[in-house]
Amino acid sequence: MKFFIGLMAALLIVGCSGGDSGSTGSDNANGGAGKSASSDGAKPLVVFSQANSQDPWRKVFDAETKAAAEKLSDVMQYDSQDAGGDPAKQNNIIDTFVVRKPKVLLVSPTETSVQGSIEKAFDEGISVILLDRGIDSEKYTTLIGGDNTEIGREAAEYVAKRLNGKGTVLMIQGIAQATPTKDRKGGFLEVMKKYPDIKIIEGDDCGYQRQKARSYMETFLLKGEKIDCVYAHNDEMAIGARLAWDASNPSGPAPIFVGIDGCQQEVVDMIKEGKLDATFKYPTPGAKGIEIAAEIIKGNPPKDKKIVLPTEIVTKETADAYTKANPNLAK
Ligand code: FRU
């Protein structure tokens, strides 16, 4: 009996050591099956650190990630945590996840400053899949997300065409230290160089939030400066700006409003009503992230450092078809 209890205790210790995450250091190369994926019978752990779970885009993103992980519950254990938009909190969450020795860490960084904890996880031999936002480091396995520079370029071409190459654009910006913000701005400004008669006003960082963009736009409109277009780095801010415009008792014609994400029925409806002019789909990367995590568990790490998800423009003409083709839009 004593021997049996001792044996059980030894097995438990091995079980709790979380050997699933594989070896540390270079021989695992953050992608291979690792030395012990499930050799002790426990399923490999896949964890997800979400930047924030408050906005509509991320609610869709969280739900699809969870659903994809549930479908694969025979091959992985899944856990996730929301950092509430706070980089320090996200660093702590990741450090705590790492103690549990996951096989794969999925992270959507709040901003580039969470790279310290991500690099540490990678150095532990954990496969790191970045979702949507990037970091200023090569210490990750792959990044899955839309091509934000290309979205910025396409938005600029659309705006330039609508303005016939002449006018003033107010750009309402997302979180300054998040990579999509830099790219959505960079791609837009790059194309706008071809249109010297279009003036760009670089508006504030409104944190990708509707309310902040609304307040910013209210203050901006008090100046009485004429604008012909609002290019917002996401739909929530485009909606906020439009609401501020409508509340300001405008006398002249409304500017055109362009956003990014295309994940809400509310946005599609506003496009149909002519309250917004266009959005660019920014596909949520969670399901793909789980699919790649499962491949890593099987021993097939991704070959590419970037997996690009496609975009598409949504306008009045394509709004109904878009809703049909995207049944999971946030209501
Ligand atoms: C949500 C969000 C999206 C945006 C993405 C950029 O937090 O702001 O609206 O497309 O993050 O990282």
Side-chain angles (χ1 to χ4, degrees):
M1 187 62 183
K2 253 192 199 153
F3 169 75
F4 180 71
I5 292 171
L7 181 70
M8 287 306 286
L11 282 174
L12 264 177
I13 290 164
V14 172
C16 293
S17 76
D20 290 347
S21 66
S23 52
T24 54
S26 56
D27 61 358
N28 183 19
N30 307 81
K35 66 177 179 204
S36 63
S38 277
S39 58
D40 59 1
K43 283 175 280 183
L45 177 62
V46 174
V47 290
F48 172 35
S49 167
Q50 174 62 287
N52 79 74
S53 295
Q54 278 83 54
D55 61 69
W57 188 80
R58 286 181 195 269
K59 284 187 178 151
V60 174
F61 177 1
D62 282 349
E64 73 170 14
T65 313
K66 192 165 172 245
E70 270 163 14
K71 272 201 195 136
L72 290 170
S73 60
D74 53 331
V75 295
M76 65 176 73
Q77 300 174 62
Y78 173 75
D79 197 3
S80 67
Q81 268 206 53
D82 164 22
D86 177 350
K89 184 170 176 196
Q90 191 166 34
N91 270 320
N92 285 336
I93 288 171
I94 294 171
D95 287 345
T96 310
F97 271 153
V98 167
V99 174
R100 293 166 62 193
K101 301 203 179 298
K103 176 73 189 157
V104 182
L105 167 68
L106 302 166
V107 190
S108 190
T110 45
E111 52 171 66
T112 47
S113 68
V114 288
Q115 98 190 34
S117 59
I118 294 174
E119 288 182 326
K120 259 194 277 162
F122 188 81
D123 285 340
E124 292 274 327
I126 296 164
S127 299
V128 175
I129 302 179
L130 301 179
L131 300 174
D132 156 45
R133 297 181 186 165
I135 51 173
D136 290 329
S137 165
E138 288 297 301
K139 289 194 173 182
Y140 61 91
T141 308
T142 194
L143 186 154
I144 305 173
D147 182 339
N148 287 297
T149 305
E150 187 50 30
I151 290 174
R153 289 186 190 121
E154 288 183 26
E157 290 294 3
Y158 171 80
V159 168
K161 200 162 165 207
R162 288 288 308 270
L163 299 184
N164 290 320
K166 201 169 167 23
T168 301
V169 178
L170 172 64
M171 175 163 58
I172 299 190
Q173 308 202 55
I175 298 168
Q177 293 311 319
T179 54
T181 309
K182 296 177 190 175
D183 295 346
R184 289 171 189 185
K185 175 178 176 173
F188 192 83
L189 295 180
E190 175 198 311
V191 166
M192 281 301 181
K193 284 196 195 126
K194 289 195 298 189
Y195 302 98
D197 293 332
I198 296 182
K199 177 184 162 196
I200 318 285
I201 300 170
E202 293 189 18
D204 279 7
D205 166 350
C206 292
Y208 287 117
Q209 291 173 29
R210 179 187 299 212
Q211 198 45 49
K212 279 194 183 164
R214 184 173 180 162
S215 309
Y216 171 71
M217 182 77 171
E218 275 163 11
T219 310
F220 180 88
L221 289 172
L222 293 176
K223 295 192 227 166
E225 191 166 349
K226 182 180 173 299
I227 48 169
D228 306 291
C229 168
V230 172
Y231 165 52
H233 286 164
N234 77 348
D235 288 339
E236 278 292 285
M237 297 192 297
I239 295 172
R242 177 73 213 206
L243 293 175
W245 172 267
D246 287 343
S248 71
N249 290 322
S251 50
I256 65 171
F257 287 84
V258 177
I260 296 168
D261 276 348
C263 72
Q264 291 157 269
Q265 187 55 41
E266 182 182 4
V267 169
V268 180
D269 290 343
M270 287 178 80
I271 290 174
K272 282 166 71 176
E273 283 166 36
K275 293 274 179 194
L276 299 178
D277 292 81
T279 186
F280 289 82
K281 179 176 184 172
Y282 189 55
T284 40
K288 189 77 186 169
I290 292 292
E291 181 192 319
I292 299 294
E295 286 301 312
I296 291 172
I297 289 167
K298 277 197 240 159
N300 304 323
K303 290 187 186 59
D304 299 318
K305 198 88 183 167
K306 172 105 208 241
I307 298 172
V308 179
L309 304 176
T311 188
E312 79 186 82
I313 187 169
V314 187
T315 59
K316 217 176 217 167
E317 290 68 42
T318 59
D320 282 330
Y322 186 76
T323 301
K324 261 200 201 130
N326 294 273
N328 294 332
L329 295 180
K331 293 288 173 275

